[in-house]
């Protein structure tokens, strides 16, 4: 894999959920030898410390030898904006536009390659809404955990096929998500109401 705090069992589970490619393949030097792109998006309360060990795990897995790894690490100045985003619509709009630009650039650099996104907390919110608001954006899979998306979201991008699969890891023990103010929600705490999402609950997880 090429690379541009989760526990080991969860790392393994997420790796299995994302697995693509031929076992034993050599790292791809050319675009036509790339099978997929994986984008990781972290939440606003951290700098994404989970992404480095997650990508390290993928690099050791031969199923990802033909996969590009992209860390969508937003600028540190966005951290303050993220904290304010619950109260400032312009802040949410700015960060969502930034994420849309990242996904657009990935699609430009790797045309016709399937894109999978794994997103935590606020990263799930800006990724989902970037796709919802930009109809040209498409991802094969969106995997979220600690998500602050709304439980009753109608999930139009999933229904329309712009998100091929939506998998949501949730935990009733996630106190951060349980206290998320509007316009955010508690999908990471209770799951989605819609059958369009694939919900996986684990009472042992926190945020």
């Amino acid at each position: 894999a090429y690379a541009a705090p989760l526990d080991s069992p969860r790392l393994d589970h997420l790796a299995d959920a994302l697995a693509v490619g031929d076992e034993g393949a050599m790292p791809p030097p050319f675009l036509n030898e790339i099978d997929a792109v994986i984008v990781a998006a972290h939440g606003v309360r951290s700098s994404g410390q989970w992404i480095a060990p997650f990508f390290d795990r993928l690099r050791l897995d031969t199923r990802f030898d033909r996969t590009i790894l992209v860390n969508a690490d937003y600028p540190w100045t966005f951290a303050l904006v993220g904290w304010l985003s619950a109260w400032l619509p312009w802040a949410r709009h700015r960060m969502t536009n930034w994420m849309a630009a990242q996904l657009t650039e990935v699609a430009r650099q790797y045309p016709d390659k399937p894109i999978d996104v794994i997103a935590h907390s606020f990263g799930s919110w800006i990724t989902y809404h970037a796709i919802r608001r930009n109809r040209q954006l498409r991802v094969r899979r969106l995997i979220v955990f600690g998500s602050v998306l709304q439980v009753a979201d109608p999930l139009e991008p999933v229904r329309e096929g712009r998100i091929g699969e939506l998998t949501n890891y949730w935990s009733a023990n996630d106190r951060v998500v349980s206290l998320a103010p509007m316009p955010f929600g508690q999908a990471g705490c209770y799951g989605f109401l819609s059958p369009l999402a694939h919900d996986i609950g684990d009472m042992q997880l926190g945020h």
Side-chain angles (χ1 to χ4, degrees), residues 54-68:
F54 178 58
F55 279 1
D56 287 343
R57 183 65 57 90
L58 297 188
R59 291 188 190 98
L60 296 174
D61 191 325
T62 56
R63 293 174 297 178
F64 299 96
D65 282 346
R66 298 166 60 92
T67 302
I68 298 293

Side-chain angles (χ1 to χ4, degrees), residues 25-85:
M26 296 298 291
F30 304 112
L31 185 62
N32 62 1
E33 296 182 3
I34 294 170
D35 287 333
V37 182
I38 295 174
V39 179
H42 63 79
V44 76
R45 297 174 60 249
S46 73
S47 58
Q49 294 91 337
W50 60 272
I51 295 177
F54 178 58
F55 279 1
D56 287 343
R57 183 65 57 90
L58 297 188
R59 291 188 190 98
L60 296 174
D61 191 325
T62 56
R63 293 174 297 178
F64 299 96
D65 282 346
R66 298 166 60 92
T67 302
I68 298 293
L69 306 179
V70 178
N71 181 358
D73 184 14
Y74 40 75
W76 69 268
T77 52
F78 275 22
L80 177 59
V81 174
W83 279 106
L84 297 175
S85 62

Side-chain angles (χ1 to χ4, degrees), residues 11-29:
L11 282 172
D12 291 335
H13 199 166
L14 293 175
D16 288 339
L18 285 166
V20 295
D22 298 325
E23 186 171 356
M26 296 298 291

Side-chain angles (χ1 to χ4, degrees), residues 145-162:
F145 59 106
S147 174
V148 291
L149 290 170
Q150 292 189 10
V151 170
D153 192 291
L155 303 180
E156 293 105 330
V158 183
R159 189 182 307 277
E160 296 170 356
R162 291 185 289 123

Side-chain angles (χ1 to χ4, degrees), residues 102-112 115 137:
Q102 306 308 301
L103 294 176
T104 299
E105 179 62 16
V106 168
R108 185 193 69 80
Q109 290 189 25
Y110 308 104
D112 303 321
I115 299 172
L137 291 177

